Amino acid sequence: MTFHTAMSTAFPQPAPGTAPSPGPMKVPAEKLRSVLGITEVHFTAKQHQLAIVDSPLSEGAAISSSTGPV
């Protein structure tokens, strides 16, 4: 099973394994839109992978995607 941490729409979270404890990150106001976003998961019947696309709220930030087994 593959786990994916979705981008948050309200509380920015650190990348898995990079923080000493769970909880939202404190970020400067000008960086906030680059760490918040929306995650879409695309499923096609009879295929064994999900397409996961993270889209940040800011237009200049990177977008990551991955696929994993269902």
Side-chain angles (χ1 to χ4, degrees):
M1 178 177 286
T2 300
F3 292 95
H4 177 80
T5 302
M7 292 191 80
S8 175
T9 57
F11 301 101
Q13 300 292 321
T18 63
S21 64
M25 298 184 309
K26 292 182 181 180
V27 298
E30 63 274 3
K31 186 180 177 189
L32 191 57
R33 292 179 67 83
S34 70
V35 294
L36 295 178
I38 297 171
T39 296
E40 294 180 52
V41 178
H42 302 275
F43 172 77
T44 304
K46 297 186 182 185
Q47 290 189 358
H48 298 285
Q49 293 186 341
L50 299 175
I52 302 169
V53 179
D54 288 328
S55 301
L57 296 179
S58 68
E59 293 183 26
I63 297 174
S64 66
S65 64
S66 62
T67 58
V70 176

